Amino acid sequence: MHSVPVILTLTVLTVLLASPAQVIGWRPYRHQTNGSDQIFGASKKFEGSSNLVRLRYHMGPVLTNNITVHPIWYGTWQKSQKKIIREFINSISAVGSKHPSVSGWWKTVQLYTDQTGSNISATVRLGEEKNDRFYSHGKSLTRLSIQSVIKSAVASRSRPLPVNPKSGLYLLLTADDVYVQDFCGQVCGFHYFTFPSIVGFTLPYAWVGNSAKFCPGVCAYPFAVPEFIPGIKPVKSPNGDVGVDGMISVIAHEIAELATNPLVNAWYAGPDPVAPVEIADLCEGIYGTGGGGSYTGQMLNDDRGATYNVNGIRRRYLIQWLWNHVVSYCTGPNKLD
């Protein structure tokens, strides 16, 4: 294996407007002029520390109890695709994975605490799942209809998902033929919490879409590149599925931010709680040592030529680094494992 530098020249939006409230969204490459750049300037684009970054704790809850992720599979999914995602979730708390590991990456998340000093849980497990293979709310979803899908999953007459507001994460995954409001043009995934008026409970959730048919060059970068940017070649995905391998990085991003800011009142930077800049946003586009600006940092190649930066239980993945508030720079598993 050897390190492989990859150049990023694309853009990201970190905060998106939704009706009736704002939610946090993300794309896998950076934006040169978004609101957080105006707050932090170029400082957040570098692996090195910066006195300009002011990530603060706002006294809200974080997920200190053992975390259970409940996937909701919306639309048609192949068994092989589900397996890639399930194994990533199970790898977050896996013991004995080869360095650098997914579990080593999660150690940055564990550094964050609540107002009692309790750390975010080291345990993340795969919980009960729900299949919505018949597209119960259609193939075009709005931000609010996403919450209706979650309501259907927890209120189903047949095997409803358990309601767990304190340590459950509800992960809505849409198949490659499902379009979600603002998908591709503004966002590849987002997280927020459900409204009791719709779902009946306040539950932290995230949505991530499979971009394989709609916009792989946007949401599965660097495994695909946009046609309008010449001269950049995509790298080979580690699990042979460009759409799902692209989803993994977004899933990692959203789970990390859900753990540290589940109700959008805990760990974030910036003056506005409805438009927070969170621990993954601060490290947009950084996947390895030396990352910053337009450079992803050093990544790895396996013997098949596929690009990755962490090892799971049986697979390899490419996920971005996270902001470490203790040392005030982005860190990955090779710094904490």
Side-chain angles (χ1 to χ4, degrees), residues 39-40 51-60 62 112-113 260-261 264-272 276-279 282 323 325 328:
I39 296 170
F40 303 114
N51 293 327
L52 297 178
V53 174
R54 294 287 185 265
L55 185 75
R56 294 188 175 94
Y57 178 53
H58 298 268
M59 306 305 290
V62 300
Y112 290 84
T113 61
T260 54
N261 198 26
V264 200
N265 61 358
W267 287 94
Y268 64 86
D272 190 348
V277 179
E278 300 170 278
I279 69 166
L282 289 166
W323 185 258
H325 75 99
S328 294

Side-chain angles (χ1 to χ4, degrees), residues 72-146:
I72 301 171
W73 306 95
Y74 191 85
T76 303
W77 288 87
Q78 299 175 16
K79 291 182 179 180
S80 60
Q81 294 176 320
K82 289 183 176 181
K83 188 173 182 179
I84 293 169
I85 294 172
R86 286 172 179 148
E87 289 189 6
F88 173 75
I89 295 170
N90 284 326
S91 294
I92 294 174
S93 297
V95 177
S97 297
K98 185 179 178 180
H99 171 83
S101 67
V102 178
S103 56
W105 167 86
W106 187 254
K107 290 180 182 179
T108 297
V109 182
Q110 290 176 246
L111 295 173
Y112 290 84
T113 61
D114 64 12
Q115 57 186 301
T116 70
S118 298
N119 293 83
I120 288 175
S121 177
T123 301
V124 180
R125 70 179 187 90
L126 184 68
E128 296 176 52
E129 306 175 30
K130 193 67 178 174
N131 292 295
D132 194 334
R133 62 178 61 91
F134 298 115
Y135 307 87
S136 65
H137 290 73
K139 290 189 176 183
S140 182
L141 303 177
T142 66
R143 292 177 182 270
L144 288 183
S145 65
I146 279 177

Side-chain angles (χ1 to χ4, degrees), residues 149-169:
V149 174
I150 296 171
K151 177 183 179 180
S152 297
V154 299
S156 174
R157 293 183 178 179
S158 173
R159 297 184 178 181
L161 291 182
V163 175
N164 185 358
K166 292 186 177 180
S167 60
L169 297 184

